[in-house]
Amino acid sequence: MSATPEKFYITTPIYYVTAAPHIGHAYTTIAADACARFQRLMGKDVFFVTGTDEHGGKNLEAARAAGISAQEHVDQQAAVYKRVFEESHCEFDRFIRTTEPEHVDLVQRIFQKLKDQGDIYKGEYEGWYCVPCETYLLDKDLQEGNCPDCKREVTRTTTESYFFRTSKYADRILKALEEKPDFIGPEGRKNEVASFIKRGLQDACISRKASEWDIPVKDDPDQTIYVWFDALVNYLTAAGYDPDDDATNEWWPASVQVMAKDILVRFHATIWPAMLMALDLPLPEVIFAHGWWLSPDESRGDDAAERKISKSRGDLVSPVEIAKDLAEISGARLDIAMDAVRYFVLSEVTFGLDGVFSIDAVMRRFNDDLANDLGNLLNRTLPLVERFVDGKVPDPGDGAGAAGDPIAKARDGAAAAMDKLDFSGALTSIWGLISFGNRYVDEKAPWDLHKEGKTAERDAVLYDLLDCLHAVALLVQPFMPMVAKEILAQLGLSDADGHTTWDSVAGGALAVGGEIKRDKPIFPRIDMKRPDAQAEAQPKPKDKPKKAKKSEPETSEITFDDFMKLDFRVAEIIAAKNVEGKDRLLELQVSLGDETRTIAAGIAEQYPPETLVGKRVVLVANLKPAKIGGVESHGMILAAGEKKPLALVTLDRDCPLGSKVR
Ligand code: MSP
């Protein structure tokens, strides 16, 4: 009898339907999809929910602007979101919409229950409201008179409202932060949440004078429920929760809730846990906030909030359109190009950090990692199998097995990374296996073994290469499901082969005798000099023209303006480890107070990793992210010394993390 599989419930934010989704929205749902697919392969019973947030002033404004009724607008837009996520190969189990009667009913009943038990009370709200963020703010929250998140104007509001006693739960939330180390991630965000709560949690204003497009308070129809209170309840609606019947809750608590950093502190890490505590429900296992995709348009300013890809700034970067462009330029199949876009967003930055999104960067990664590494291994191996062993998986005799260790290492490394939602780390582990394959074919030169008549050795090498490709196909499934399918098909395997478990991916798993079915290259290399590739890579007309790159600095003197471009910040090293195969390199996690970064630093010879944790250093924070020794490095720490680092630049007294250094 098999044991009941462990349940795994994963959620994304539900998105406002003010305009079509862009790559930022797709990012969260794609990341959650990769996690859900991985957990399914781990044998878990997965429930993956995404959806749309359809009430609130923003959506109503968008409907008015489109000249249609609010209902028509949300129906149309929710369908667009659903389709775009499906076309991005996201296999969600439930697409929830907050206008569903089941959800509306639950919101009203939860509101009533909390009101009856005294957690919701009536009062007078006097403060500010940011319509684009649908956020109530107090004087102390404003930055230069504007919304602290989107930096836009706020409106003064005085209104009779209901309040939710968030403040009552502040201590319990702080305690949960201490007791559940993985509750809020990444680490730097957890500190941000703790300081926000310690500054004092205000009760949350959760209703306003009836608005035509919000959920009415059941016994006080003059008031409608604040869109965020309504939206957060979606996680319970989808789970089947009913406050009056314990038996219906099939999925809560969530295992993982992902979202971007801007909706963590004020909502998911404060009001939401307080609501759960008031309902006497367990907290989610993990709430993880990822970074933002930023526009490459530098003229928009230096601040991440100004550069954030956003609907309201008119960034219409649809993931589907990006995949179409990529398919056209490269000649790859559209579904493969879509997977390449998934690969890009999951590998380009460490989950939790900001990244710059550009088609140019997508094309480069397509060429470097997909065409040159993965495609190359497939395109070299299959013709050799056709030429030398009749297109069939050869019998390796006693000679094979070289792929066993690298396969196990990739499988286990990727699994450990996926447990921490480290998608780029998981892909780095899998790419280690691909590099092994490409090195192995060069070293073993099966064409020479063939020429020399060493057929047993040749067959063993070819088997190892196919074995390696087979494992790669299985391991990339969570990230690029259609690519995985296509590699399996070219290896002559059926779709069913993909339904294995993660743990059974191992060397020697490929059956002997199967006939391979080589097809066209999956990732045709993009000629970056082609006019259409160049056109895509060109800055759009509104971009500032970029200065030509200089190979050497022109002069040893720089202007004050040049100096001011450098963003030095105080950072604390919160974790450090060696980088495998790179003797001089360390991978550091540094905290800037409200942000954690991964940094590669060539200081391993001078500083054993365990001596660094807790050190306060100076970080060059606006250095373009770069991959160094396989580590995605987002900044550089300062050290004295020319070729070899002699000493780290540290601080002689305490000052807040993230402080500017001038
Ligand atoms: N409706 C609320 C969420 C309610 S959840 C109970 C909302 N909606 S939103 O349409 O503004 O979407 C926010 C989410 O979209 C972010 O949390 C993030 O998941 C995703 N992103 C939107 N723009 C993004 C970037 N530029 N970069 C990364 N993610 C982005 O807030």
Side-chain angles (χ1 to χ4, degrees), residues 111-272:
F111 194 98
Q112 196 63 44
K113 181 180 161 75
L114 298 185
K115 189 161 155 253
D116 292 346
Q117 72 188 41
D119 274 305
I120 288 178
Y121 63 93
K122 210 164 194 180
E124 175 88 0
Y125 176 80
E126 202 189 335
W128 302 97
Y129 194 72
C130 172
V131 179
C133 295
E134 302 276 17
T135 311
Y136 288 101
L137 297 159
L138 297 173
D139 283 331
K140 71 174 175 63
D141 297 323
L142 303 186
Q143 265 176 20
E144 292 167 13
N146 293 334
C147 168
D149 289 325
C150 71
K151 314 281 189 258
R152 277 170 284 198
E153 264 180 35
V154 287
T155 357
R156 188 79 191 161
T157 318
T158 311
T159 163
E160 190 182 44
S161 300
Y162 284 101
F163 288 81
F164 171 59
R165 289 190 198 282
T166 326
S167 60
K168 175 174 153 191
Y169 297 97
D171 290 343
R172 275 179 65 191
I173 304 174
L174 278 176
K175 200 155 166 254
L177 283 173
E178 274 163 31
E179 287 172 358
K180 287 167 56 97
D182 297 330
F183 176 36
I184 307 278
E187 192 64 26
R189 297 267 160 240
K190 181 162 60 179
N191 303 337
E192 195 189 340
V193 169
S195 12
F196 181 78
I197 299 176
K198 283 179 189 155
R199 284 202 298 273
L201 271 193
Q202 306 289 327
D203 288 348
C205 178
I206 52 157
S207 77
R208 55 174 161 170
K209 267 250 152 321
S211 119
E212 64 179 279
W213 189 241
D214 285 322
I215 303 180
V217 175
K218 247 265 151 93
D219 63 354
D220 189 354
D222 274 355
Q223 293 277 321
T224 45
I225 298 173
Y226 174 40
V227 64
W228 264 101
F229 185 91
D230 156 6
L232 288 163
V233 169
N234 95 83
Y235 302 131
L236 296 176
T237 313
Y241 169 77
D242 181 332
D244 303 315
D245 183 359
D246 284 348
T248 60
N249 171 21
E250 214 188 321
W251 292 98
W252 191 261
S255 316
V256 172
Q257 300 206 267
V258 281
M259 73 235 35
K261 58 187 181 181
D262 51 334
I263 56 171
L264 175 75
V265 177
R266 277 171 210 286
F267 303 106
H268 286 86
T270 47
I271 301 182
W272 177 227

Side-chain angles (χ1 to χ4, degrees), residues 413-434:
M418 287 303 276
D419 269 341
K420 294 184 283 176
L421 298 174
D422 176 7
F423 302 99
S424 59
L427 286 164
T428 304
S429 286
I430 299 168
W431 253 247
L433 176 59
I434 296 171

